Amino acid sequence: KRSVMTTAYNVSIFGIKEQIASFFKSKRVKIISGPGEGKTVVQYLKIPSIYPYRTIVLTQMDLFKIAEIIYSVLFKEYPLISLLYGYFKDMAKLMSSADLPIEWVTPSGLILKQHYLKASSTSVLIRLNNKVSKTTMKTYTDLLDRRKQKDAIIPNITHSLDANHLMNVLMDCYEKEGFELITIHDCFGSHPNNMDIVHRKVKEHFV
């Protein structure tokens, strides 16, 4: 589920592998391949509740293979996702090659600009009440960060459409139905008597 949900945020095969690994316990195991020879590898262990006396052991290669299967199935079953990804990334590359920011307009009319700049980082130690902490200060340049422009375009467009949908539902309920909503991230809250209306409008504004 997590891998599918983060597809919209440009998750990679490595990212899916790390997501899967987070559900397992990691353990370093030394494998002996011959006299005086051996190497230490990371294995992932999981004991399913329905099989309390069995242990599933996966290697890094196993997790990468599972991640590749999930990734390929997503884009094979839904080829339009691949087409859409390719379009946005190609547009980001094209705009970056001309050193131009990316702008788009949401359905509600909000104009958004993506303009990431390269930055240099400096670590600074701060001492307060005999305690030392470290923070990082960034100094931005005038150079466009082309890699970040490409990697961020899909998540940012997704977030902008989510926000646009939320605003449409809020305004529709207020202007046409006469009641307000409370929102937390992607959740809507209202009086129980209004929930059928909210449920219907959330679907309507997704179309």
Side-chain angles (χ1 to χ4, degrees):
K1 179 183 177 182
R2 186 179 175 189
S3 302
V4 175
M5 290 178 63
T6 52
T7 301
Y9 301 107
N10 209 21
V11 68
S12 63
I13 293 177
F14 179 80
I16 295 176
K17 176 257 177 187
E18 290 296 300
Q19 291 171 357
I20 299 171
S22 67
F23 291 97
F24 290 74
K25 293 180 180 179
S26 63
K27 182 180 180 181
R28 291 188 175 273
V29 179
K30 188 171 185 179
I31 298 178
I32 306 299
S33 55
E37 298 179 359
K39 62 178 180 179
T40 301
V41 299
V42 177
Q43 291 185 334
Y44 295 89
L45 310 176
K46 177 76 172 182
I47 304 177
S49 58
I50 57 175
Y51 300 117
Y53 302 108
R54 291 178 57 187
T55 300
I56 297 176
V57 180
L58 298 173
T59 64
Q60 294 269 15
M61 187 178 296
D62 294 330
L63 293 186
F64 267 114
K65 187 61 180 178
I66 295 171
E68 286 177 358
I69 292 172
I70 294 173
Y71 191 86
S72 63
V73 167
L74 282 173
F75 288 95
K76 184 177 179 180
E77 292 294 325
Y78 303 97
L80 288 179
I81 295 179
S82 181
L83 184 65
L84 195 62
Y85 273 34
Y87 170 77
F88 283 128
K89 286 186 176 182
D90 287 345
M91 288 299 297
K93 289 179 182 177
L94 180 63
M95 298 293 284
S96 294
S97 65
D99 284 326
L100 294 173
I102 303 171
E103 292 187 6
W104 66 94
V105 183
T106 66
S108 61
L110 180 65
I111 301 174
L112 298 173
K113 177 187 288 187
Q114 177 180 289
H115 192 194
Y116 290 105
L117 299 175
K118 289 185 177 181
S120 58
S121 299
T122 305
S123 296
V124 178
L125 294 178
I126 300 175
R127 184 183 298 275
L128 181 63
N129 295 330
N130 295 324
K131 293 183 179 180
V132 178
S133 60
K134 185 169 71 172
T135 187
T136 301
M137 296 181 63
K138 288 188 175 182
T139 304
Y140 289 93
T141 68
D142 295 329
L143 300 175
L144 194 67
D145 191 332
R146 297 184 178 185
R147 182 189 60 80
K148 197 164 186 178
Q149 285 288 102
K150 178 176 69 70
D151 292 342
I153 184 62
I154 294 172
N156 283 341
I157 286 180
T158 301
H159 283 306
S160 72
L161 293 177
D162 282 343
N164 180 87
H165 170 262
L166 183 145
M167 289 301 301
N168 286 347
V169 175
L170 284 176
M171 297 306 298
D172 197 354
C173 288
Y174 180 72
E175 293 177 352
K176 295 182 179 180
E177 305 297 337
F179 63 85
E180 298 178 352
L181 294 175
I182 296 174
T183 62
I184 300 176
H185 190 48
D186 57 355
C187 299
F188 296 91
S190 183
H191 191 279
N193 291 348
N194 301 328
M195 292 316 296
D196 285 341
I197 299 174
V198 175
H199 188 238
R200 173 169 52 84
K201 290 187 178 296
V202 166
K203 291 182 176 180
E204 288 175 353
H205 286 288
F206 258 118
V207 176

